[in-house]
């Protein structure tokens, strides 16, 4: 099950608005926000290691290392948010009376962008142990709920209530 054109547009909207919410929360300048190295891919465009059957999204990190003598400061990390369309659509289809796609995508986008910012700033180690990753997931879930709890967006409160006990929104992969 893949996102259709309308659902891809909804995902794009979700990330665009999540960027604004996250930037405001972290008091990021527009330049700092635009300097984040990440992209978003849907299931149809993912490689095998980017697919995860247990999460709505998976954050992958790729490292760029220059080939010309390798000055360390020229290397950088690039993050990919890998949306698992099938998992997201299945959750919406199973709970269609309550859970709607736009607020779920908005929550997922915000959650994953918090991860990107925290890893990019060095607040957390992407290569941490599984126990540390579990703690990071709990922290990011709490930060995401804090960011979104005062916003009015139809269906968002239900999403926040559903995910109040630390859901498995995303996984992290080197």
């Amino acid at each position: 099950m893949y996102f259709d054109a309308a659902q891809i547009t909804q995902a794009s909207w979700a990330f665009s608005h999540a960027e604004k919410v996250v930037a405001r929360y972290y008091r990021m300048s527009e330049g700092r926000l635009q300097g984040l190295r990440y992209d978003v891919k849907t299931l149809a465009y993912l490689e095998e290691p980017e697919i995860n059957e247990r999460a709505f999204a998976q954050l992958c990190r790729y490292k760029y290392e220059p080939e010309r003598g390798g000055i360390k400061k020229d290397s950088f990390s690039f993050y990919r948010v890998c949306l698992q369309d099938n998992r997201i659509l299945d959750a919406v289809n199973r709970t269609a009376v309550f859970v709607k796609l736009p607020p779920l995508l908005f929550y997922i986008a915000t959650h994953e962008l918090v991860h990107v910012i925290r890893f990019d700033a060095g607040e957390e180690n992407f290569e941490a142990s599984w126990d540390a990753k579990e703690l990071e997931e709990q922290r990011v879930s709490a930060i995401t709920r804090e960011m979104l709890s005062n916003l009015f967006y139809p269906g968002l409160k239900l999403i926040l209530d559903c995910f109040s006990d630390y859901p498995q929104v995303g996984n992290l992969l080197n």
Side-chain angles (χ1 to χ4, degrees):
M1 209 172 355
Y2 298 104
F3 287 157
D4 62 26
Q7 293 162 334
I8 290 171
T9 299
Q10 290 175 332
S12 178
W13 180 94
F15 275 88
S16 174
H17 286 274
E19 280 183 353
K20 294 172 188 163
V21 170
V22 170
R24 194 170 36 245
Y25 179 85
Y26 282 102
R27 295 179 177 93
M28 295 174 68
S29 68
E30 187 173 324
R32 168 79 171 97
L33 179 65
Q34 291 174 349
L36 289 176
R37 291 183 172 110
Y38 83 95
D39 72 354
V40 179
K41 298 283 185 186
T42 60
L43 186 59
Y45 301 98
L46 300 180
E47 300 294 328
E48 184 62 35
E50 298 171 328
I51 297 172
N52 185 317
E53 292 299 323
R54 297 181 326 269
F56 292 146
Q58 176 165 271
L59 186 63
C60 296
R61 181 182 70 175
Y62 299 94
K63 289 186 176 185
Y64 170 77
E65 306 255 349
E67 291 184 25
R68 53 174 165 55
I71 300 170
K72 193 72 168 167
K73 69 177 185 170
D74 289 342
S75 65
F76 62 86
S77 292
F78 175 84
Y79 298 92
R80 172 166 293 147
V81 177
C82 304
L83 294 177
Q84 310 297 313
D85 311 16
N86 56 336
R87 300 273 302 149
I88 295 167
L89 292 173
D90 181 57
V92 170
N93 290 338
R94 283 186 292 114
T95 60
V97 175
F98 305 107
V99 175
K100 303 297 181 200
L101 183 60
L104 179 57
L105 286 170
F106 185 44
Y107 180 89
I108 293 167
T110 305
H111 181 98
E112 295 305 322
L113 288 175
V114 170
H115 275 304
V116 169
I117 289 168
R118 289 176 55 79
F119 289 130
D120 190 61
E123 291 182 35
E124 195 57 50
N125 179 3
F126 194 90
E127 297 174 4
S129 69
W130 282 109
D131 289 342
K133 286 182 179 186
E134 288 292 318
L135 288 173
E136 171 66 2
E137 199 61 35
Q138 291 173 21
R139 277 189 224 98
V140 169
S141 292
I143 291 167
T144 303
R145 281 192 310 278
E146 182 181 335
M147 277 185 205
L148 299 177
S149 64
N150 293 324
L151 297 180
F152 176 76
Y153 184 85
L156 186 58
K157 182 175 178 351
L158 178 62
I159 299 296
L160 295 174
D161 290 345
C162 288
F163 294 154
S164 63
D165 292 328
Y166 165 61
Q168 183 142 5
V169 173
N171 276 1
L172 309 174
L173 178 71
N174 282 336

